[in-house]
Amino acid sequence: MSNLKDFNTDGPRPVTVSETSITKDDTDNRIVDSDGHVFLVPTPSADPADPLNWSPTRKWTIVVLLIIWSATALSVQSFLTNFLPSLESRFPDASASQINLLITIVTPLIVPGELFFAPLAIGYGRRPSLLLSIVLLFASSIWGAQSKTYSALLGARVIEGFAGGPTDAIGFTIIQDFTFVHERGKMLGVMMMGQQALTLVLAIATNYMAVDSGFSAPFYLFFGLSIAVFVALFFAMPETKYDRQARDIPEERMTTKEYPEWRKSLGRDPQYPPFTWKRQLRVWGPAGRAQKEEALGFLKGLMVMLTSPVIWWASLLNAVSTGALIAFSTCFATMLVSPPWSWPSANVGLINIAGTVSSLINVPLLGIGSDKLSLRLAARNGGVARLEHRLAGLVIPVAIGVAANIGFGALAQKLLVTGGAHQPHWFSLVFIFALQYMYFGGILEVTYTYVASTVSPARSLEAMTAISVIRDMVSFGMSYGVVGFADNCGYLASFGTYSGIVGFFGCLGLLVYRYGGMGRLKI
């Protein structure tokens, strides 16, 4: 094993893709040795409380619970899209824009939620921030279930949007806290695609529930899921925020082959207290001046993140893909229940099966595949990892996104505007639905995994929050006016515009791949 002196334990140091020779920094960034063994990055401490040292069972349990939590939060926000025709009947005095607001209002309200929960997670820990957001989630679910008027339901939607703020940034940061670089893409991919697949499964179930019993029944389901996840996370997930730089790090790099045997010795070092249940179940960390300053310093760090062109590129690419998906979501249910397809309202949710399948395909394609591709490219590069290797798979979801938006625009134009005797089969919309979720989830997965690799875990939450804030604000503006945009310009023109913007920012990814190391935040 090679010496770990001067090694950056937070992850590989930024190295530009344009370099063609191996430098000293490359030696520190080497994650594969000459025999093909993978080094552990970051290097774990000898503390059993270090999240990197937690058992695979605990880590995967947390991933599964994060999937259920985030899927529940996202389902609360999005399940009304399948219930859109029934909402118009339930609130006949509400205009089309007001009904559309019930769906889109959660997006801009995620931003203040992110700006509240993220500093809390920075200063006082991921655990209290996450548990508090779940409390607000089940409170808003009860509110939504009891809503009898349009204004009451809109109020519940406001709280739902705020409570859903941490679903992206904090979830990704928690996984980064306890994963090594070589396994991060796999776990992030499973979480992202798992939450998307489960969200779509819940959309099918809640659509039947809403049509048969009204939208109060799905809200009660979300309430039950939130309570169950709160209890499970309380016992299964200790605090993942960990200051590894303040600990004694082994001076020898370990490989994945050597680590299991070394891990058996944990708990024997007298300088580290036992990882007891009392320590594991503590909700709040130390509360003092240092924690308050750290929480307030989050805003300063957020401003620093906004100076990075890479952050802006990732944010805007995600924003246009999210905005296009939300715009698509406001249209497809109406198309299915209208002639010539005339689906029963209760069956509209079945279209989510297509999205579930495409989400599961993304796991091996862009999750596990991202780790394998990164290691393979590193092995071909003398064992040196280039962070931009994570972007190689982006071409797949971007190409699918361009095609899916043009295809849907043409389909909607033919079905809702042009008309005529010869209409396309309903399976064409089902196929486009699958493509929409495949490209949306793929872009999210690739860009977030890449950005998470470019900054240290201490700054990761700031980077994830910066992307989420920009994405949610821009995507709301793109999706809110989709009804008027389509009425004035036609569906082909409006969704063709979405397609062009997705393609434009996707092509900018080539510049990020080539020059990303130069524009990356070095903090």
Side-chain angles (χ1 to χ4, degrees):
M1 295 184 291
S2 57
N3 197 287
L4 265 183
K5 186 178 180 181
D6 298 327
F7 184 71
N8 179 4
T9 58
D10 284 335
R13 295 174 181 166
V15 180
T16 65
V17 181
S18 58
E19 293 174 344
T20 57
S21 59
I22 295 179
T23 65
K24 181 184 181 301
D25 281 346
D26 287 335
T27 302
D28 288 340
N29 280 288
R30 196 182 302 276
I31 64 170
V32 181
D33 66 15
S34 58
D35 296 324
H37 297 138
V38 179
F39 289 119
L40 296 181
V41 179
T43 304
S45 68
D47 186 357
D50 186 339
L52 290 176
N53 292 324
W54 293 350
S55 69
T57 300
R58 184 190 287 271
K59 291 181 181 181
W60 281 110
T61 298
I62 295 171
V63 170
V64 170
L65 291 175
L66 289 175
I67 288 173
I68 299 174
W69 159 68
S70 57
T72 302
L74 293 173
S75 296
V76 170
Q77 297 167 12
S78 65
F79 87 100
L80 289 180
T81 58
N82 294 330
F83 195 50
L84 192 58
S86 299
L87 281 176
E88 295 169 349
S89 301
R90 187 179 183 90
F91 304 114
D93 295 333
S95 65
S97 294
Q98 287 177 311
I99 296 296
N100 189 38
L101 184 63
L102 285 174
I103 297 173
T104 58
I105 188 63
V106 297
T107 304
L109 287 164
I110 290 173
V111 173
E114 290 167 334
L115 296 178
F116 172 79
F117 288 109
L120 184 66
I122 288 286
Y124 299 95
R126 324 313 188 205
R127 183 173 158 85
S129 181
L130 180 58
L131 293 178
L132 179 58
S133 73
I134 299 176
V135 170
L136 289 179
L137 183 62
F138 62 67
S140 65
S141 297
I142 287 293
W143 185 348
Q146 297 296 317
S147 298
K148 305 298 182 184
T149 64
Y150 173 86
S151 58
L153 181 58
L154 184 62
R157 300 288 285 167
V158 169
I159 303 301
E160 288 163 6
F162 185 84
T167 50
D168 285 342
I170 291 183
F172 297 148
T173 301
I174 288 172
I175 290 180
Q176 186 183 14
D177 285 341
F178 62 64
T179 56
F180 299 104
V181 169
H182 72 274
E183 64 183 3
R184 188 167 296 158
K186 174 175 62 179
M187 286 196 170
L188 285 175
V190 169
M191 180 194 151
M192 285 183 274
M193 294 304 101
Q195 76 177 25
Q196 184 170 293
L198 183 56
T199 299
L200 295 170
V201 169
L202 289 173
I204 298 173
T206 55
N207 186 72
Y208 282 108
M209 296 171 68
V211 171
D212 292 340
S213 307
F215 58 72
S216 60
F219 277 120
Y220 284 123
L221 172 64
F222 298 138
F223 170 75
L225 287 173
S226 301
I227 290 290
V229 170
F230 178 90
V231 173
L233 278 172
F234 182 85
F235 288 101
M237 191 187 86
E239 179 56 55
T240 65
K241 180 185 176 185
Y242 188 83
D243 186 4
R244 198 165 294 108
Q245 291 183 334
R247 304 294 192 268
D248 290 331
I249 304 298
E251 294 188 1
E252 295 290 327
R253 284 201 209 190
M254 280 180 289
T255 64
T256 54
K257 182 179 180 180
E258 299 160 334
Y259 177 63
E261 188 65 29
W262 177 85
R263 187 173 172 273
K264 293 178 181 179
S265 65
L266 296 179
R268 301 174 187 173
D269 192 330
Q271 68 173 312
Y272 296 115
F275 195 35
T276 61
W277 274 104
K278 182 178 180 180
R279 291 182 65 193
Q280 294 180 40
L281 298 182
R282 185 173 61 182
V283 175
W284 292 94
R289 182 181 181 86
Q291 284 69 36
K292 293 179 181 178
E293 291 178 351
E294 192 174 3
L296 292 175
F298 167 82
L299 295 177
K300 179 181 178 181
L302 191 63
M303 294 300 104
V304 174
M305 292 294 166
L306 294 179
T307 65
S308 168
V310 170
I311 292 290
W312 277 97
W313 166 76
S315 302
L316 293 175
L317 178 57
N318 277 281
V320 296
S321 61
T322 302
L325 181 68
I326 295 174
F328 167 79
S329 299
T330 63
C331 301
F332 77 83
T334 301
M335 294 170 62
L336 287 173
V337 300
S338 301
W341 298 338
S342 303
W343 281 30
S345 297
N347 293 342
V348 169
L350 292 176
I351 196 174
N352 290 282
I353 295 174
T356 304
V357 172
S358 63
S359 300
L360 296 177
I361 292 174
N362 267 356
V363 173
L365 184 65
L366 296 174
I368 299 173
S370 174
D371 287 335
K372 291 185 178 297
L373 179 61
S374 181
L375 290 174
R376 178 169 295 183
L377 292 175
R380 292 175 57 183
N381 195 43
V384 178
R386 307 292 191 195
L387 303 184
E388 282 67 37
H389 288 165
R390 292 283 186 182
L391 294 176
L394 187 62
V395 64
I396 298 175
V398 168
I400 293 174
V402 171
N405 282 298
I406 292 178
F408 178 73
L411 179 64
Q413 186 75 19
K414 172 68 175 174
L415 193 72
L416 299 178
V417 179
T418 306
H422 301 287
Q423 292 292 342
H425 194 272
W426 54 260
F427 186 77
S428 57
L429 180 58
V430 173
F431 182 70
I432 290 175
F433 188 98
L435 294 182
Q436 288 279 342
Y437 276 89
M438 190 171 189
Y439 98 84
F440 167 74
I443 288 176
L444 186 73
E445 183 175 342
V446 173
T447 53
Y448 270 64
T449 303
Y450 168 66
V451 172
S453 301
T454 64
V455 296
S456 69
R459 320 308 308 196
S460 176
L461 189 52
E462 295 167 358
M464 298 297 105
T465 302
I467 294 177
S468 299
V469 166
I470 297 172
R471 181 199 67 194
D472 293 333
M473 293 177 66
V474 175
S475 64
F476 173 74
M478 289 184 62
S479 60
Y480 178 67
V482 65
V483 176
F485 189 12
D487 288 342
N488 294 328
C489 303
Y491 289 93
L492 182 57
S494 58
F495 280 89
T497 302
Y498 289 137
S499 176
I501 299 174
V502 170
F504 171 76
F505 282 104
C507 289
L508 287 183
L510 296 174
L511 296 178
V512 178
Y513 187 92
R514 182 68 175 82
Y515 302 108
M518 298 179 181
R520 191 182 310 126
L521 294 173
K522 297 176 176 63
I523 55 178

